[in-house]
Amino acid sequence: MKINFKMIKTFAALVGISAALQAVPVHADGIHTAKEGNTFYTLSKEYGVSVDALMKANPQVSATNIYSGLKLNIPGKTPTFVAQSESAKAEVITANLNVQPETNTVSAWGKVFNYDRTLQVKASAYSSASSENGKWGAVDYLGNPLKLGTIAVDPSVIPIGTKVLVTGYTHPGLPKSAFVATATDMGSAIKGNRIDIFIPGSPSFVADFGYQYVQLYVIQ
């Protein structure tokens, strides 16, 4: 084996730097558990950080999908760990859906959405694995990185860019009961009343979604 002394010296220097850094208190990101009504704007005021910094610290979170119980990174704040009781750990967070057909409104997590129409579709799910996205990689049809809230649609049924509230599904990789999605992707197998929901995680984890019939509210 050929020994690279330059690499050894560099490694030793890095170890020394690392040890020195560990001896100094580090300002790590804090964790905030979202409450009903939280937005990036309200959290920016609460913690004194910019909305842009919050969004960069939580790239996997869409601004329209902040729901009660969601864990959010707060940049530059020391984490506060609070002991939870067993009952608190077992608490189920729901979207508290409330549909008012007479006014064409639906509320979830304390937010009210106006909707134009409803649509029942057959849903499947996909991951960011290359085996599922081919040569295009982990991006949607518009070239945006795949994230929670991305769905693939048949544009003749749901035009690209349409926002919907997705309800009636079950999967641990999705918010309980409802989430806001934008139609920004397409797939050769997604025809008619079909959608494909992007779920962060391994292909096997995502595959547990199977096929489910879900209710969509086309929101404004």
Side-chain angles (χ1 to χ4, degrees):
M1 179 187 296
K2 185 177 179 180
I3 300 175
N4 190 323
F5 290 101
K6 184 176 181 181
M7 289 182 63
I8 292 174
K9 288 180 181 178
T10 302
F11 177 76
L14 289 173
V15 170
I17 292 171
S18 176
L21 288 174
Q22 289 176 11
V24 179
V26 178
H27 232 29
D29 284 358
I31 303 297
H32 174 89
T33 301
K35 302 178 182 64
E36 192 171 288
N38 276 168
T39 65
F40 281 132
Y41 177 76
T42 62
L43 292 175
S44 74
K45 297 299 182 184
E46 181 177 345
Y47 288 99
V49 297
S50 69
V51 171
D52 185 57
L54 281 169
M55 294 180 73
K56 286 180 179 178
N58 299 277
Q60 78 288 1
V61 178
S62 171
T64 53
N65 280 329
I66 298 177
Y67 56 92
S68 181
L70 179 67
K71 304 295 183 185
L72 294 165
N73 296 317
I74 307 298
K77 299 298 177 182
T78 304
T80 301
F81 298 98
V82 180
Q84 288 184 311
S85 64
E86 289 303 315
S87 60
K89 291 178 183 178
E91 181 184 3
V92 176
I93 305 298
T94 66
N96 296 320
L97 286 174
N98 183 14
V99 182
Q100 300 291 333
E102 64 276 8
T103 58
N104 274 39
T105 59
V106 54
S107 60
W109 331 297
K111 302 173 186 177
V112 179
F113 303 93
N114 295 308
Y115 67 89
D116 295 325
R117 62 189 176 107
T118 63
L119 189 65
Q120 187 179 63
V121 299
K122 185 178 181 180
S124 53
Y126 67 112
S127 73
S128 58
S130 57
S131 59
E132 298 180 54
N133 296 281
K135 62 182 180 181
W136 296 277
V139 295
D140 62 21
Y141 178 75
L142 301 177
N144 304 307
L146 297 175
K147 62 181 180 180
L148 177 63
T150 299
I151 58 172
V153 299
D154 180 344
S156 67
V157 178
I158 302 174
I160 291 293
T162 302
K163 286 187 178 295
V164 297
L165 187 70
V166 185
T167 70
Y169 57 83
T170 57
H171 191 277
L174 294 171
K176 299 289 184 182
S177 300
F179 69 98
V180 176
T182 306
T184 57
D185 209 358
M186 296 189 292
S188 58
I190 309 303
K191 301 296 181 185
N193 281 27
R194 284 272 286 111
I195 66 169
D196 207 10
I197 301 171
F198 171 72
I199 300 179
S202 67
S204 59
F205 174 72
V206 174
D208 288 340
F209 185 93
Y211 289 98
Q212 302 180 34
Y213 283 93
V214 302
Q215 188 80 8
L216 304 182
Y217 294 86
V218 180
I219 58 179
Q220 301 170 1

